[in-house]
């Protein structure tokens, strides 16, 4: 219980905010478990962390696989090493220009999937 505060001066009003997570978690049992860091709360947060880690590993591995495919492709087809596109060697085009769309698509997919993971976690915590 909060201590009694003196009444506000005439013409003024007092604005008070709720305290931290415990006050907002009062109505939601799952949110309370997380705020109190109980066993269930830790388990839920750990599952979110694991899913985000798994997502990062999958997207990072896929990106590295595509990045490593370029030297493999150049090794399997040596005629690509001597090709020129617009006066620039083909390997430079593949690595310098061709890889940027892959980076952007990987980042976009990761961001969307991470947002979905967090929304699913928030739906679970909201206890609708």
């Amino acid at each position: 219980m909060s201590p009694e505060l003196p009444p506000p001066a005439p013409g003024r009003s007092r604005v008070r905010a709720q305290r931290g997570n415990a006050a907002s978690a009062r109505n939601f049992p799952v949110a309370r478990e997380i705020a109190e860091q109980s066993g269930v709360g830790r388990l839920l947060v750990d599952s979110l962390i694991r899913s985000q880690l798994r997502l990062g590993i999958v997207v990072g591995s896929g990106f590295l696989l595509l990045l490593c495919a370029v030297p493999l492709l150049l090794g399997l087809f040596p005629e690509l090493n001597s090709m020129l596109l617009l006066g620039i060697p083909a390997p430079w085009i593949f690595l310098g220009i061709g890889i940027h769309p892959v980076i952007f698509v990987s980042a976009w997919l990761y961001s969307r999937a991470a947002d979905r993971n967090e929304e699913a976690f928030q739906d679970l915590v909201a206890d609708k």
Side-chain angles (χ1 to χ4, degrees):
M1 196 168 228
S2 63
E4 291 298 318
L5 299 172
R12 295 183 175 200
S13 62
R14 178 170 288 130
V15 178
R16 294 177 55 189
Q18 290 183 343
R19 297 190 186 262
N21 289 340
S24 62
R26 202 172 296 139
N27 299 327
F28 303 105
V30 177
R32 183 178 30 229
E33 294 286 339
I34 292 170
E36 293 173 357
Q37 295 183 356
S38 69
V40 174
R42 278 193 307 263
L43 182 68
L44 290 170
V45 172
D46 286 347
S47 74
L48 174 64
I49 291 170
R50 276 193 311 275
S51 68
Q52 296 290 52
L53 177 63
R54 186 174 33 252
L55 175 64
I57 289 171
V58 166
V59 172
S61 299
F63 174 72
L64 284 176
L65 191 67
L66 286 173
L67 187 63
C68 292
V70 173
L72 184 64
L73 180 73
L74 293 173
L76 290 174
F77 302 103
E79 60 272 5
L80 291 175
N81 289 325
S82 59
M83 251 177 71
L84 293 177
L85 299 171
L86 302 171
I88 302 171
W92 287 27
I93 298 282
F94 296 150
L95 289 173
I97 297 171
I99 205 69
H100 285 91
V102 175
I103 293 170
F104 291 126
V105 168
S106 296
W108 180 70
L109 289 173
Y110 174 80
S111 178
R112 285 190 56 210
D115 287 344
R116 271 184 284 162
N117 283 347
E118 290 177 9
E119 286 174 5
F121 179 76
Q122 287 173 353
D123 289 345
L124 178 68
V125 171
D127 210 25
K128 292 179 182 181

